[in-house]
Amino acid sequence: MKDIANYMKIAKITIISVGKIKEAFYQDAVAEYSKRLSAYCKLEIKELTDEKTPEGASAETEKLIKEKEGGRILKALDEKAYSLALSIDGKKYDSPGFAGQLEKLTLSGKSHIQFIIGGSLGLSEKVLQKADGKVSFSDMTFPHQLMRVILLEQIYRAFRINNNEPYHK
């Protein structure tokens, strides 16, 4: 297990997220998990500009907004990295299963994993098609700011699990 821990320590995780975190309590949580993750991986967070959604926007307007945001996401993707889009229809894992998936990806040579979090309307079809996989944390919808914190916590938990280190249940 020591070899796995050392191998996983060099992993790079990138989070590509539409929208900025405005609330201090979310910023503090992101900073805390970023600090904790620095012991396990190189973490990069790319915040992309979101589009304003007018009140009562039509389905066509919403589609255009997702496509604009999607274009920014596609430009931000590293073609060499393995991408996982966060999507309600993605694969669901429990925490040990998610840890196992990250370990499997890392051991198969995917040392750079990027997670994609869409804006308030979700991800465009082009982004979903471009992603190597999709992950769902729940059937519920979460604000993208909170989702970033949840994702960081689960990545941290996964590293702790994969390194046989204790973590609160």
Side-chain angles (χ1 to χ4, degrees):
M1 197 57 146
K2 190 75 168 162
D3 291 335
I4 291 171
N6 288 335
Y7 187 75
M8 290 190 71
K9 190 171 185 170
I10 63 168
K12 180 177 180 183
I13 303 284
T14 301
I15 297 177
I16 300 167
S17 183
V18 174
K20 296 206 179 288
I21 292 189
K22 297 172 185 109
E23 290 85 358
F25 57 91
Y26 287 137
Q27 292 171 353
D28 291 346
V30 167
E32 177 62 27
Y33 283 110
S34 296
K35 182 177 87 176
R36 290 181 187 192
L37 280 166
S38 68
Y40 300 99
C41 67
K42 181 176 187 235
L43 177 67
E44 179 182 18
I45 298 174
K46 295 181 181 180
E47 288 185 331
L48 307 178
T49 306
D50 58 345
E51 294 289 319
K52 301 289 182 228
T53 304
E55 191 70 34
S58 68
E60 187 60 33
T61 299
E62 288 186 357
K63 183 179 176 191
L64 281 170
I65 289 169
K66 286 200 297 189
E67 286 174 2
K68 283 182 184 179
E69 292 174 346
R72 289 186 196 111
I73 291 169
L74 293 171
K75 287 179 185 171
L77 290 175
D78 179 342
E79 293 292 323
K80 296 175 190 159
Y82 188 88
S83 356
L84 290 168
L86 274 60
S87 177
I88 269 184
D89 64 344
K91 182 166 174 54
K92 289 184 180 77
Y93 296 95
D94 59 12
S95 292
F98 183 67
Q101 178 62 14
L102 291 185
E103 181 179 64
K104 179 179 156 190
L105 289 170
T106 303
L107 292 175
S108 69
K110 312 277 190 296
S111 62
H112 182 190
I113 301 167
Q114 54 194 357
F115 292 89
I116 307 163
I117 303 173
S120 62
L121 298 175
L123 294 167
S124 72
E125 281 304 311
K126 287 181 183 176
V127 171
L128 292 170
Q129 290 168 1
K130 181 77 173 169
D132 296 305
K134 295 188 287 185
V135 176
S136 174
F137 281 82
S138 174
D139 289 332
M140 292 185 265
T141 302
F142 296 105
H144 62 272
Q145 297 178 1
L146 176 59
M147 195 60 238
R148 195 178 315 174
V149 174
I150 292 169
L151 174 61
L152 286 167
E153 190 280 333
Q154 284 300 306
I155 293 168
Y156 174 69
R157 183 181 295 267
F159 276 106
R160 299 287 296 189
I161 290 168
N162 288 336
N163 285 293
N164 290 319
E165 296 170 357
Y167 194 76
H168 299 292
K169 295 181 181 182

